[in-house]
Amino acid sequence: MADSGARRQPSFTKVDQLRPGTHGHNLLLKVVDSKMVLQRGGGPQGRHMRIAECLVGDETGIIVFTARNDQVDVMKAGASVDLRNAKIDMFKGSMRLAVDKWGIVKAAESPADFTVKEDNNMSLIEFELVTVVE
């Protein structure tokens, strides 16, 4: 199969469309707040570990994003970020946005031109796993 060299444009998702257990989301967001929750120095293997919980959003709502290691440097309050191949993790019944090793977290090429809707926090919605017996 010959590669034409042309890449298709990614389709972007809005925060209010995110649902539990979904993945492959591309989002353009603004960082509202960022708080370091874990920082460990290098152990015997010399690995450093940093985890920050960041409140990110767009014009439809906000959600908590869990930033790991190098992602923490990009997630500064007020920054516009581009998330590729993001997924929804569940933590204590609420949604958390995350990007693993298969995704990309980078500063947006141009600042986002929207106002973040802070009164629709998708992470405050509590979900419960229900088993359906047929």
Side-chain angles (χ1 to χ4, degrees):
M1 188 167 139
D3 185 14
S4 64
R7 288 188 166 174
R8 65 184 177 108
Q9 291 295 322
S11 60
F12 287 89
T13 307
K14 297 293 180 189
V15 171
D16 66 347
Q17 298 170 332
L18 298 173
R19 297 292 175 259
T22 57
H23 55 86
H25 302 293
N26 298 317
L27 300 112
L28 181 60
L29 304 169
K30 274 188 187 174
V31 181
V32 177
D33 188 29
S34 180
K35 190 184 311 178
M36 186 73 70
V37 291
L38 178 72
Q39 187 164 2
R40 286 196 184 140
Q45 290 85 22
R47 286 188 291 190
H48 296 282
M49 187 167 159
R50 295 183 300 163
I51 297 178
E53 285 193 343
C54 313
L55 204 54
V56 298
D58 61 16
E59 67 273 13
T60 65
I62 58 176
I63 191 166
V64 174
F65 174 77
T66 306
R68 291 177 168 80
N69 302 323
D70 294 340
Q71 298 172 355
V72 175
D73 300 329
V74 180
M75 306 302 283
K76 302 291 182 209
S80 295
V81 293
D82 190 0
L83 305 182
R84 302 294 171 103
N85 202 20
K87 63 179 182 168
I88 297 294
D89 287 333
M90 296 304 290
F91 178 74
K92 294 184 179 176
S94 65
M95 294 192 299
R96 296 279 197 268
L97 191 61
V99 174
D100 58 15
K101 66 180 180 178
W102 304 110
I104 298 171
V105 176
K106 64 179 181 177
E109 294 172 8
S110 60
D113 60 347
F114 54 77
T115 306
V116 177
K117 183 177 181 181
E118 295 189 38
D119 60 351
N120 183 21
N121 191 336
M122 299 298 286
S123 291
L124 293 180
I125 301 171
E126 196 167 316
F127 291 87
E128 185 177 340
L129 183 61
V130 179
T131 357
V132 179
V133 180
E134 292 184 22

